Short mmCIF file of all heavy atoms in Angstrom, two decimals:
data_model
loop_
_atom_site.label_atom_id
_atom_site.label_comp_id
_atom_site.label_asym_id
_atom_site.label_seq_id
_atom_site.Cartn_x
_atom_site.Cartn_y
_atom_site.Cartn_z
N MET J 1 -8.10 7.86 15.54
CA MET J 1 -7.07 7.29 16.40
C MET J 1 -6.87 8.21 17.59
O MET J 1 -6.77 9.42 17.46
CB MET J 1 -5.78 7.14 15.60
CG MET J 1 -4.64 6.62 16.42
SD MET J 1 -3.15 6.17 15.51
CE MET J 1 -2.92 7.49 14.39
N ARG J 2 -6.78 7.63 18.75
CA ARG J 2 -6.57 8.40 19.97
C ARG J 2 -5.08 8.66 20.16
O ARG J 2 -4.24 7.85 19.81
CB ARG J 2 -7.11 7.61 21.16
CG ARG J 2 -8.60 7.37 21.08
CD ARG J 2 -9.09 6.55 22.25
NE ARG J 2 -8.33 5.34 22.45
CZ ARG J 2 -8.75 4.13 22.11
NH1 ARG J 2 -9.91 3.97 21.54
NH2 ARG J 2 -8.00 3.07 22.35
N ALA J 3 -4.77 9.81 20.75
CA ALA J 3 -3.37 10.16 21.03
C ALA J 3 -2.77 9.15 22.00
O ALA J 3 -3.44 8.67 22.90
CB ALA J 3 -3.30 11.56 21.62
N GLY J 4 -1.51 8.84 21.78
CA GLY J 4 -0.79 7.97 22.69
C GLY J 4 -0.96 6.49 22.43
O GLY J 4 -0.49 5.66 23.19
N HIS J 5 -1.63 6.12 21.35
CA HIS J 5 -1.83 4.69 21.07
C HIS J 5 -1.02 4.21 19.88
O HIS J 5 -1.26 3.12 19.38
CB HIS J 5 -3.32 4.39 20.87
CG HIS J 5 -4.08 4.46 22.15
ND1 HIS J 5 -4.09 3.45 23.07
CD2 HIS J 5 -4.83 5.46 22.68
CE1 HIS J 5 -4.82 3.81 24.10
NE2 HIS J 5 -5.28 5.03 23.89
N GLY J 6 -0.10 5.00 19.37
CA GLY J 6 0.85 4.58 18.37
C GLY J 6 0.29 3.96 17.10
O GLY J 6 0.95 3.15 16.47
N GLY J 7 -0.91 4.26 16.71
CA GLY J 7 -1.44 3.76 15.46
C GLY J 7 -2.18 2.44 15.57
O GLY J 7 -2.80 2.00 14.62
N SER J 8 -2.11 1.76 16.69
CA SER J 8 -2.78 0.47 16.80
C SER J 8 -4.29 0.60 16.76
O SER J 8 -4.99 -0.34 16.42
CB SER J 8 -2.34 -0.26 18.07
OG SER J 8 -2.76 0.46 19.22
N GLY J 9 -4.82 1.76 17.10
CA GLY J 9 -6.26 1.97 17.04
C GLY J 9 -6.79 1.81 15.63
O GLY J 9 -7.88 1.30 15.43
N GLY J 10 -6.03 2.24 14.64
CA GLY J 10 -6.46 2.11 13.26
C GLY J 10 -6.65 0.66 12.86
O GLY J 10 -7.63 0.30 12.22
N VAL J 11 -5.74 -0.19 13.24
CA VAL J 11 -5.84 -1.62 12.94
C VAL J 11 -6.97 -2.23 13.75
O VAL J 11 -7.79 -2.98 13.23
CB VAL J 11 -4.51 -2.35 13.23
CG1 VAL J 11 -4.67 -3.85 13.09
CG2 VAL J 11 -3.42 -1.83 12.31
N ARG J 12 -7.04 -1.89 15.00
CA ARG J 12 -8.10 -2.41 15.87
C ARG J 12 -9.47 -2.02 15.34
O ARG J 12 -10.42 -2.81 15.39
CB ARG J 12 -7.90 -1.88 17.29
CG ARG J 12 -8.74 -2.56 18.32
CD ARG J 12 -8.47 -2.05 19.73
NE ARG J 12 -7.06 -2.18 20.09
CZ ARG J 12 -6.27 -1.15 20.41
NH1 ARG J 12 -6.73 0.08 20.41
NH2 ARG J 12 -5.00 -1.35 20.72
N ASP J 13 -9.57 -0.81 14.82
CA ASP J 13 -10.86 -0.33 14.32
C ASP J 13 -11.30 -1.01 13.02
O ASP J 13 -12.46 -0.92 12.65
CB ASP J 13 -10.81 1.19 14.10
CG ASP J 13 -10.68 1.96 15.40
OD1 ASP J 13 -10.93 1.37 16.47
OD2 ASP J 13 -10.32 3.15 15.34
N LEU J 14 -10.40 -1.70 12.34
CA LEU J 14 -10.77 -2.40 11.11
C LEU J 14 -11.75 -3.54 11.39
O LEU J 14 -12.63 -3.81 10.58
CB LEU J 14 -9.54 -2.97 10.41
CG LEU J 14 -8.63 -1.99 9.70
CD1 LEU J 14 -7.37 -2.71 9.24
CD2 LEU J 14 -9.34 -1.34 8.54
N GLY J 15 -11.58 -4.22 12.49
CA GLY J 15 -12.43 -5.36 12.82
C GLY J 15 -12.15 -6.53 11.89
O GLY J 15 -11.31 -6.46 10.99
N ALA J 16 -12.87 -7.61 12.08
CA ALA J 16 -12.65 -8.83 11.30
C ALA J 16 -12.95 -8.61 9.82
O ALA J 16 -12.20 -9.07 8.95
CB ALA J 16 -13.51 -9.97 11.84
N ASP J 17 -14.01 -7.89 9.51
CA ASP J 17 -14.36 -7.65 8.10
C ASP J 17 -13.32 -6.78 7.41
O ASP J 17 -12.94 -7.04 6.27
CB ASP J 17 -15.74 -6.99 7.99
CG ASP J 17 -16.87 -7.92 8.38
OD1 ASP J 17 -16.67 -9.15 8.33
OD2 ASP J 17 -17.95 -7.42 8.73
N GLY J 18 -12.86 -5.76 8.09
CA GLY J 18 -11.85 -4.88 7.51
C GLY J 18 -10.53 -5.59 7.27
O GLY J 18 -9.84 -5.34 6.29
N LEU J 19 -10.14 -6.47 8.17
CA LEU J 19 -8.90 -7.23 8.02
C LEU J 19 -9.01 -8.28 6.91
O LEU J 19 -8.01 -8.68 6.33
CB LEU J 19 -8.51 -7.90 9.33
CG LEU J 19 -8.01 -6.95 10.41
CD1 LEU J 19 -7.88 -7.68 11.73
CD2 LEU J 19 -6.69 -6.31 10.01
N ALA J 20 -10.22 -8.71 6.61
CA ALA J 20 -10.42 -9.73 5.57
C ALA J 20 -10.54 -9.14 4.17
O ALA J 20 -10.29 -9.84 3.19
CB ALA J 20 -11.67 -10.56 5.89
N ARG J 21 -10.89 -7.86 4.05
CA ARG J 21 -11.10 -7.29 2.71
C ARG J 21 -9.77 -7.08 2.00
O ARG J 21 -8.73 -6.91 2.64
CB ARG J 21 -11.88 -5.98 2.79
CG ARG J 21 -11.11 -4.82 3.36
CD ARG J 21 -11.93 -3.53 3.27
NE ARG J 21 -11.35 -2.49 4.07
CZ ARG J 21 -10.27 -1.78 3.73
NH1 ARG J 21 -9.67 -2.00 2.60
NH2 ARG J 21 -9.81 -0.85 4.54
N PRO J 22 -9.77 -7.09 0.67
CA PRO J 22 -8.53 -6.87 -0.09
C PRO J 22 -7.97 -5.48 0.17
O PRO J 22 -8.71 -4.52 0.40
CB PRO J 22 -8.96 -7.01 -1.55
CG PRO J 22 -10.25 -7.75 -1.51
CD PRO J 22 -10.90 -7.40 -0.20
N CYS J 23 -6.65 -5.36 0.11
CA CYS J 23 -5.98 -4.08 0.36
C CYS J 23 -6.31 -3.04 -0.70
O CYS J 23 -6.43 -1.87 -0.41
CB CYS J 23 -4.46 -4.28 0.38
SG CYS J 23 -3.90 -5.23 1.79
N GLY J 24 -6.41 -3.45 -1.95
CA GLY J 24 -6.71 -2.52 -3.03
C GLY J 24 -5.46 -2.14 -3.82
O GLY J 24 -4.33 -2.41 -3.40
N PRO J 25 -5.63 -1.48 -4.94
CA PRO J 25 -4.54 -1.22 -5.87
C PRO J 25 -3.44 -0.31 -5.33
O PRO J 25 -2.30 -0.38 -5.79
CB PRO J 25 -5.23 -0.58 -7.08
CG PRO J 25 -6.53 -0.09 -6.58
CD PRO J 25 -6.91 -0.99 -5.44
N ALA J 26 -3.74 0.49 -4.34
CA ALA J 26 -2.70 1.38 -3.79
C ALA J 26 -1.57 0.61 -3.12
O ALA J 26 -0.49 1.16 -2.92
CB ALA J 26 -3.34 2.35 -2.79
N GLU J 27 -1.79 -0.65 -2.81
CA GLU J 27 -0.79 -1.45 -2.10
C GLU J 27 0.02 -2.36 -3.03
O GLU J 27 0.67 -3.30 -2.55
CB GLU J 27 -1.44 -2.25 -0.98
CG GLU J 27 -2.10 -1.39 0.07
CD GLU J 27 -1.15 -0.37 0.70
OE1 GLU J 27 0.06 -0.61 0.76
OE2 GLU J 27 -1.65 0.68 1.13
N GLY J 28 0.01 -2.11 -4.31
CA GLY J 28 0.85 -2.84 -5.27
C GLY J 28 0.71 -4.34 -5.16
O GLY J 28 -0.38 -4.88 -5.38
N PRO J 29 1.80 -5.03 -4.79
CA PRO J 29 1.76 -6.49 -4.76
C PRO J 29 0.79 -7.06 -3.72
O PRO J 29 0.45 -8.23 -3.78
CB PRO J 29 3.19 -6.90 -4.44
CG PRO J 29 3.82 -5.70 -3.84
CD PRO J 29 3.12 -4.51 -4.42
N TYR J 30 0.34 -6.25 -2.81
CA TYR J 30 -0.61 -6.70 -1.79
C TYR J 30 -2.05 -6.36 -2.16
O TYR J 30 -2.96 -6.52 -1.34
CB TYR J 30 -0.28 -6.07 -0.43
CG TYR J 30 0.97 -6.64 0.17
CD1 TYR J 30 2.20 -6.04 -0.04
CD2 TYR J 30 0.94 -7.80 0.93
CE1 TYR J 30 3.35 -6.56 0.51
CE2 TYR J 30 2.08 -8.34 1.47
CZ TYR J 30 3.29 -7.72 1.26
OH TYR J 30 4.44 -8.24 1.79
N ALA J 31 -2.31 -5.90 -3.38
CA ALA J 31 -3.64 -5.44 -3.78
C ALA J 31 -4.73 -6.47 -3.54
O ALA J 31 -5.80 -6.13 -3.04
CB ALA J 31 -3.63 -5.02 -5.25
N ALA J 32 -4.49 -7.72 -3.88
CA ALA J 32 -5.52 -8.76 -3.73
C ALA J 32 -5.46 -9.45 -2.38
O ALA J 32 -6.37 -10.18 -2.02
CB ALA J 32 -5.36 -9.79 -4.84
N ALA J 33 -4.39 -9.20 -1.63
CA ALA J 33 -4.22 -9.85 -0.33
C ALA J 33 -5.14 -9.20 0.71
O ALA J 33 -5.48 -8.03 0.60
CB ALA J 33 -2.77 -9.73 0.12
N PRO J 34 -5.54 -9.97 1.72
CA PRO J 34 -6.35 -9.36 2.78
C PRO J 34 -5.53 -8.33 3.55
O PRO J 34 -4.30 -8.42 3.64
CB PRO J 34 -6.73 -10.54 3.67
CG PRO J 34 -5.86 -11.66 3.29
CD PRO J 34 -5.31 -11.39 1.93
N MET J 35 -6.21 -7.34 4.08
CA MET J 35 -5.55 -6.28 4.84
C MET J 35 -4.71 -6.87 5.97
O MET J 35 -3.65 -6.33 6.30
CB MET J 35 -6.61 -5.33 5.40
CG MET J 35 -6.04 -4.11 6.08
SD MET J 35 -5.13 -3.02 4.98
CE MET J 35 -6.47 -2.28 4.09
N ALA J 36 -5.13 -7.98 6.55
CA ALA J 36 -4.36 -8.62 7.63
C ALA J 36 -2.96 -8.98 7.16
O ALA J 36 -2.00 -8.85 7.93
CB ALA J 36 -5.09 -9.87 8.13
N SER J 37 -2.79 -9.38 5.90
CA SER J 37 -1.47 -9.71 5.38
C SER J 37 -0.58 -8.48 5.34
O SER J 37 0.61 -8.54 5.67
CB SER J 37 -1.58 -10.29 3.97
OG SER J 37 -2.24 -11.52 4.00
N LEU J 38 -1.15 -7.36 4.94
CA LEU J 38 -0.38 -6.12 4.90
C LEU J 38 0.00 -5.67 6.30
O LEU J 38 1.14 -5.26 6.54
CB LEU J 38 -1.17 -5.02 4.18
CG LEU J 38 -0.46 -3.68 4.06
CD1 LEU J 38 0.81 -3.81 3.24
CD2 LEU J 38 -1.39 -2.65 3.44
N VAL J 39 -0.92 -5.78 7.24
CA VAL J 39 -0.63 -5.41 8.63
C VAL J 39 0.50 -6.26 9.17
O VAL J 39 1.44 -5.74 9.80
CB VAL J 39 -1.90 -5.53 9.50
CG1 VAL J 39 -1.58 -5.38 10.98
CG2 VAL J 39 -2.94 -4.50 9.07
N LEU J 40 0.45 -7.56 8.93
CA LEU J 40 1.53 -8.44 9.41
C LEU J 40 2.85 -8.12 8.73
O LEU J 40 3.91 -8.13 9.38
CB LEU J 40 1.14 -9.91 9.17
CG LEU J 40 0.03 -10.44 10.05
CD1 LEU J 40 -0.37 -11.85 9.60
CD2 LEU J 40 0.45 -10.45 11.51
N HIS J 41 2.82 -7.82 7.45
CA HIS J 41 4.05 -7.47 6.72
C HIS J 41 4.68 -6.20 7.31
O HIS J 41 5.88 -6.16 7.55
CB HIS J 41 3.75 -7.27 5.23
CG HIS J 41 4.89 -6.72 4.47
ND1 HIS J 41 6.02 -7.45 4.19
CD2 HIS J 41 5.10 -5.48 3.94
CE1 HIS J 41 6.87 -6.70 3.52
NE2 HIS J 41 6.33 -5.50 3.35
N ILE J 42 3.87 -5.19 7.54
CA ILE J 42 4.39 -3.94 8.10
C ILE J 42 4.95 -4.18 9.50
O ILE J 42 6.01 -3.65 9.86
CB ILE J 42 3.29 -2.86 8.11
CG1 ILE J 42 2.96 -2.45 6.67
CG2 ILE J 42 3.70 -1.65 8.94
CD1 ILE J 42 1.73 -1.59 6.53
N ASN J 43 4.29 -5.01 10.29
CA ASN J 43 4.77 -5.33 11.62
C ASN J 43 6.13 -6.03 11.56
O ASN J 43 7.05 -5.68 12.30
CB ASN J 43 3.74 -6.22 12.34
CG ASN J 43 4.10 -6.45 13.78
OD1 ASN J 43 4.54 -5.54 14.48
ND2 ASN J 43 3.91 -7.67 14.24
N ARG J 44 6.26 -7.01 10.67
CA ARG J 44 7.54 -7.71 10.52
C ARG J 44 8.65 -6.74 10.08
O ARG J 44 9.78 -6.84 10.56
CB ARG J 44 7.41 -8.85 9.53
CG ARG J 44 6.71 -10.07 10.08
CD ARG J 44 6.83 -11.26 9.13
NE ARG J 44 6.23 -11.00 7.84
CZ ARG J 44 4.99 -11.33 7.50
NH1 ARG J 44 4.22 -11.94 8.38
NH2 ARG J 44 4.53 -11.07 6.30
N GLU J 45 8.32 -5.85 9.16
CA GLU J 45 9.32 -4.88 8.69
C GLU J 45 9.75 -3.95 9.81
O GLU J 45 10.94 -3.64 9.95
CB GLU J 45 8.76 -4.06 7.52
CG GLU J 45 8.71 -4.83 6.22
CD GLU J 45 10.09 -5.18 5.69
OE1 GLU J 45 10.95 -4.28 5.60
OE2 GLU J 45 10.32 -6.35 5.37
N ALA J 46 8.81 -3.50 10.63
CA ALA J 46 9.16 -2.62 11.74
C ALA J 46 10.07 -3.34 12.73
O ALA J 46 11.07 -2.77 13.21
CB ALA J 46 7.90 -2.13 12.44
N LEU J 47 9.76 -4.59 13.04
CA LEU J 47 10.62 -5.38 13.93
C LEU J 47 12.00 -5.58 13.32
O LEU J 47 13.03 -5.44 14.00
CB LEU J 47 9.98 -6.74 14.22
CG LEU J 47 8.75 -6.71 15.12
CD1 LEU J 47 8.07 -8.07 15.11
CD2 LEU J 47 9.13 -6.31 16.52
N HIS J 48 12.04 -5.91 12.05
CA HIS J 48 13.30 -6.16 11.36
C HIS J 48 14.19 -4.92 11.37
O HIS J 48 15.37 -4.99 11.74
CB HIS J 48 13.00 -6.60 9.91
CG HIS J 48 14.18 -6.62 9.02
ND1 HIS J 48 15.06 -7.66 8.98
CD2 HIS J 48 14.63 -5.70 8.12
CE1 HIS J 48 16.02 -7.39 8.10
NE2 HIS J 48 15.77 -6.21 7.57
N HIS J 49 13.64 -3.79 10.99
CA HIS J 49 14.45 -2.57 10.93
C HIS J 49 14.81 -2.07 12.33
O HIS J 49 15.90 -1.54 12.53
CB HIS J 49 13.75 -1.50 10.10
CG HIS J 49 13.70 -1.86 8.65
ND1 HIS J 49 14.82 -1.90 7.85
CD2 HIS J 49 12.67 -2.25 7.87
CE1 HIS J 49 14.48 -2.27 6.64
NE2 HIS J 49 13.18 -2.50 6.62
N GLY J 50 13.92 -2.27 13.29
CA GLY J 50 14.26 -1.93 14.67
C GLY J 50 15.43 -2.76 15.18
O GLY J 50 16.31 -2.25 15.87
N ALA J 51 15.47 -4.03 14.82
CA ALA J 51 16.58 -4.89 15.22
C ALA J 51 17.89 -4.44 14.56
O ALA J 51 18.95 -4.46 15.20
CB ALA J 51 16.29 -6.35 14.85
N GLU J 52 17.82 -4.03 13.31
CA GLU J 52 19.02 -3.51 12.64
C GLU J 52 19.55 -2.26 13.34
O GLU J 52 20.75 -2.11 13.54
CB GLU J 52 18.73 -3.20 11.18
CG GLU J 52 18.52 -4.42 10.32
CD GLU J 52 18.16 -4.07 8.89
OE1 GLU J 52 17.51 -3.03 8.66
OE2 GLU J 52 18.54 -4.86 8.01
N ILE J 53 18.64 -1.38 13.71
CA ILE J 53 19.05 -0.15 14.40
C ILE J 53 19.69 -0.49 15.74
O ILE J 53 20.73 0.07 16.11
CB ILE J 53 17.83 0.78 14.59
CG1 ILE J 53 17.39 1.32 13.23
CG2 ILE J 53 18.14 1.91 15.56
CD1 ILE J 53 16.04 1.98 13.23
N ALA J 54 19.10 -1.43 16.48
CA ALA J 54 19.66 -1.84 17.77
C ALA J 54 21.03 -2.46 17.60
O ALA J 54 21.94 -2.21 18.41
CB ALA J 54 18.71 -2.81 18.48
N LEU J 55 21.22 -3.26 16.56
CA LEU J 55 22.53 -3.86 16.29
C LEU J 55 23.57 -2.79 16.03
O LEU J 55 24.67 -2.80 16.61
CB LEU J 55 22.45 -4.80 15.10
CG LEU J 55 23.79 -5.33 14.59
CD1 LEU J 55 24.44 -6.23 15.62
CD2 LEU J 55 23.62 -6.04 13.27
N LEU J 56 23.26 -1.83 15.17
CA LEU J 56 24.20 -0.76 14.88
C LEU J 56 24.51 0.06 16.13
O LEU J 56 25.66 0.44 16.37
CB LEU J 56 23.65 0.14 13.77
CG LEU J 56 23.56 -0.53 12.39
CD1 LEU J 56 22.84 0.39 11.42
CD2 LEU J 56 24.94 -0.90 11.88
N ARG J 57 23.49 0.32 16.95
CA ARG J 57 23.71 1.05 18.20
C ARG J 57 24.67 0.28 19.10
O ARG J 57 25.63 0.85 19.64
CB ARG J 57 22.37 1.23 18.92
CG ARG J 57 22.50 1.93 20.27
CD ARG J 57 21.34 1.60 21.19
NE ARG J 57 21.30 0.17 21.44
CZ ARG J 57 20.21 -0.51 21.76
NH1 ARG J 57 19.05 0.11 21.84
NH2 ARG J 57 20.26 -1.79 21.98
N ASP J 58 24.46 -1.02 19.23
CA ASP J 58 25.31 -1.82 20.09
C ASP J 58 26.73 -1.92 19.56
O ASP J 58 27.69 -1.87 20.33
CB ASP J 58 24.72 -3.22 20.27
CG ASP J 58 23.40 -3.20 21.05
OD1 ASP J 58 23.08 -2.16 21.66
OD2 ASP J 58 22.70 -4.23 21.01
N LEU J 59 26.87 -2.05 18.25
CA LEU J 59 28.21 -2.09 17.67
C LEU J 59 28.92 -0.77 17.87
O LEU J 59 30.13 -0.73 18.16
CB LEU J 59 28.13 -2.42 16.17
CG LEU J 59 27.72 -3.86 15.84
CD1 LEU J 59 27.50 -4.00 14.33
CD2 LEU J 59 28.76 -4.85 16.33
N PHE J 60 28.22 0.33 17.72
CA PHE J 60 28.82 1.64 17.91
C PHE J 60 29.26 1.82 19.36
O PHE J 60 30.35 2.31 19.63
CB PHE J 60 27.82 2.74 17.53
CG PHE J 60 28.34 4.13 17.72
CD1 PHE J 60 29.25 4.67 16.81
CD2 PHE J 60 27.95 4.89 18.80
CE1 PHE J 60 29.74 5.95 16.97
CE2 PHE J 60 28.45 6.18 18.99
CZ PHE J 60 29.34 6.70 18.06
N ARG J 61 28.42 1.40 20.31
CA ARG J 61 28.77 1.51 21.73
C ARG J 61 29.99 0.66 22.09
O ARG J 61 30.71 0.99 23.02
CB ARG J 61 27.61 1.08 22.60
CG ARG J 61 26.50 2.06 22.71
CD ARG J 61 25.47 1.54 23.68
NE ARG J 61 24.36 2.46 23.80
CZ ARG J 61 23.22 2.17 24.38
NH1 ARG J 61 23.02 0.96 24.88
NH2 ARG J 61 22.26 3.05 24.46
N GLY J 62 30.18 -0.43 21.37
CA GLY J 62 31.27 -1.34 21.68
C GLY J 62 32.62 -0.90 21.14
O GLY J 62 33.64 -1.53 21.44
N GLN J 63 32.66 0.17 20.38
CA GLN J 63 33.93 0.63 19.83
C GLN J 63 34.74 1.33 20.91
O GLN J 63 34.19 2.00 21.79
CB GLN J 63 33.69 1.62 18.69
CG GLN J 63 33.15 0.98 17.44
CD GLN J 63 33.03 2.00 16.31
OE1 GLN J 63 33.12 3.20 16.52
NE2 GLN J 63 32.83 1.50 15.11
N PRO J 64 36.06 1.20 20.83
CA PRO J 64 36.92 1.94 21.78
C PRO J 64 36.75 3.45 21.57
O PRO J 64 36.43 3.90 20.47
CB PRO J 64 38.34 1.51 21.41
CG PRO J 64 38.22 0.41 20.42
CD PRO J 64 36.81 0.39 19.92
N ALA J 65 36.97 4.20 22.62
CA ALA J 65 36.83 5.66 22.54
C ALA J 65 37.80 6.22 21.50
O ALA J 65 38.96 5.80 21.42
CB ALA J 65 37.11 6.30 23.90
N GLY J 66 37.30 7.11 20.66
CA GLY J 66 38.14 7.75 19.64
C GLY J 66 38.29 6.94 18.37
O GLY J 66 39.03 7.33 17.47
N ALA J 67 37.62 5.80 18.26
CA ALA J 67 37.78 4.96 17.07
C ALA J 67 36.94 5.47 15.93
O ALA J 67 35.99 6.13 16.04
CB ALA J 67 37.38 3.53 17.38
#
């Protein structure tokens, strides 16, 4: 992975065959699923938790001073 690419190089480097192969036993419930399913799941989780963090940030900013 090249510096400054945030990990996307690893997924890009998998190619079509790598994304189609099963994840393997290290991934628990995703063991038989194609790697693409795991990549999409991780992406959704990152978006979900990022949205939660942004919500908490916005709620905190909206509080009156000293609250």
Side-chain angles (χ1 to χ4, degrees):
M1 177 171 44
R2 297 178 309 257
H5 288 280
S8 64
V11 173
R12 192 177 303 119
D13 293 344
L14 286 172
D17 291 338
L19 288 171
R21 72 174 167 77
C23 292
E27 298 304 331
Y30 289 93
M35 186 64 74
S37 295
L38 180 62
V39 170
L40 289 173
H41 171 71
I42 291 170
N43 187 41
R44 284 190 299 265
E45 285 294 310
L47 289 169
H48 168 82
H49 291 291
E52 289 177 329
I53 291 166
L55 171 66
L56 292 173
R57 178 204 60 206
D58 294 347
L59 289 173
F60 179 77
R61 284 184 181 167
Q63 289 184 347

